[in-house]
Structure formats: C-alpha cells, structure tokens
C-alpha cells in the first residue's frame, strides 16, 4: 500500500479520513497478548506501532487544525509527524481508536482544499504505518502459541 504517485489534496484528505477505520479493521479481535507480541528485537510490538500512529496522528491533527484556523498557508508537520516509537497503548485499543477517529473527523472537515503538501506528508506517513500494521498482524502467531498472558502484559 505504498504511495508512489502524487495525490490530489482531496485524495490525501480522503485517505486521512479512512485511517482510523483501516486500523480498526486490521486489528479487530486481537487480544492483549497479540498486541504486545514482539516479532524480534528490531520490531515494534503491534500495540506500540498503533500507539505511535494514534499519538502522532492526533498531534498532527492538532497542528493542522490550529494552522488552518489561524489562516496559515502551510504548517511544519515534519517536526510533529514522527514522535518516538516507544509508545505502547496505555488504554484499551477500541477506546483509543474511537478517540482518534473523533479527532480525525474534525480535522478532515477543516482540511478540504487546504495544505496539499502537508496532507500528502501525513498521508504517506500513515499509509506506511498501516502497511506495517497489516504486515505485523499477518505474522502474528496463533493465540495459543503465545502462552498465558502475564501480569506485566496487561494494560491497567
């Protein structure tokens, strides 16, 4: 799902609006053990990758809404788009996705016709992470192969 060609601003906004649902579809029904499973030392957990995408997406949305409402022609999303990848989900997945979807809807409503470059940068970042989520999800072992969930694996 890599974006090679130039996207129109409308297409970029449309892709941005679909990110919460795409994530939800990819991880529907996964339990805590599978969200915290690490494929190897260099790989993030699926929960960590989702946490990163939701956090960076929410921060970028705030920046874009602020820039748009202030009448700016552009916003520096590069500094906001990629916070560290050390985030694990700190609340239930469904709750985090619903909050992100709500924030994203407000942003998309404002962005139609604004910020072609910014929207494309955000869209490329998020589509790349959606592809990572899809790939990590496809490689997850069966739940029975993970063993019992340990107390340190459960999000309070």
């Amino acid at each position: 799902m890599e974006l090679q060609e130039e996207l129109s601003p409308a297409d970029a906004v449309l892709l941005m609006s679909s990110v919460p649902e795409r994530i939800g579809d990819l991880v529907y029904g996964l339990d805590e053990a599978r969200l915290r499973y690490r494929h190897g030392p260099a790989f993030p957990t699926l929960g960590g990758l989702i946490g990163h995408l939701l956090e960076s997406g929410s921060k970028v949305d705030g920046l874009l809404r602020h820039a748009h409402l202030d009448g700016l022609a552009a916003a520096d999303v590069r500094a906001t788009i990629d916070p560290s990848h050390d985030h694990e989900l700190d609340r239930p997945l469904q709750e985090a996705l619903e909050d992100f979807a709500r924030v994203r809807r407000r942003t998309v409503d404002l962005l139609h016709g604004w910020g072609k470059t910014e929207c494309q940068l955000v869209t490329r970042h998020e589509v790349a992470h959606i592809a990572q989520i899809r790939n990590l999800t496809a490689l997850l072992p069966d739940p029975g192969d993970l063993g019992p969930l340990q107390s340190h694996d459960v999000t309070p």
Side-chain angles (χ1 to χ4, degrees):
M1 174 178 243
E2 190 174 318
L3 295 176
Q4 296 295 329
E5 74 267 1
E6 193 78 8
L7 290 172
S8 72
D11 288 341
V13 171
L14 181 63
L15 275 172
M16 284 176 65
S17 69
S18 70
V19 167
E21 289 78 19
R22 287 178 181 219
I23 296 169
D25 289 347
L26 288 169
V27 299
Y28 178 78
L30 294 181
D31 59 13
E32 280 287 319
R34 296 179 90 192
L35 289 172
R36 299 212 178 273
Y37 177 75
R38 187 174 304 277
H39 291 80
F43 290 91
T45 65
L46 189 54
L49 180 58
I50 295 166
H52 161 73
L53 183 53
L54 298 181
E55 180 177 336
S56 66
S58 294
K59 285 182 178 181
V60 166
D61 284 1
L63 173 69
L64 293 177
R65 284 194 317 274
H66 179 72
H68 181 73
L69 293 173
D70 287 347
L72 302 177
D76 182 14
V77 298
R78 196 166 295 280
T80 307
I81 201 166
D82 217 6
S84 76
H85 288 264
D86 296 336
H87 302 285
E88 286 294 331
L89 285 171
D90 57 358
R91 57 192 169 141
L93 175 61
Q94 191 59 39
E95 177 185 321
L97 282 172
E98 288 170 2
D99 286 348
F100 179 57
R102 186 173 44 258
V103 169
R104 180 52 55 94
R105 277 191 303 273
R106 290 190 312 237
T107 303
V108 166
D109 289 344
L110 291 174
L111 291 182
H112 289 288
W114 181 86
K116 176 182 177 182
T117 303
E118 291 81 3
C119 291
Q120 287 186 356
L121 184 61
V122 172
T123 301
R124 289 180 190 280
H125 174 255
E126 291 182 350
V127 167
H129 283 313
I130 288 172
Q132 284 181 298
I133 291 169
R134 182 193 63 224
N135 293 341
L136 288 176
T137 303
L139 296 173
L140 284 172
D142 289 328
D145 294 341
L146 295 175
L149 192 62
Q150 303 298 316
S151 61
H152 65 276
D153 292 331
V154 178
T155 302

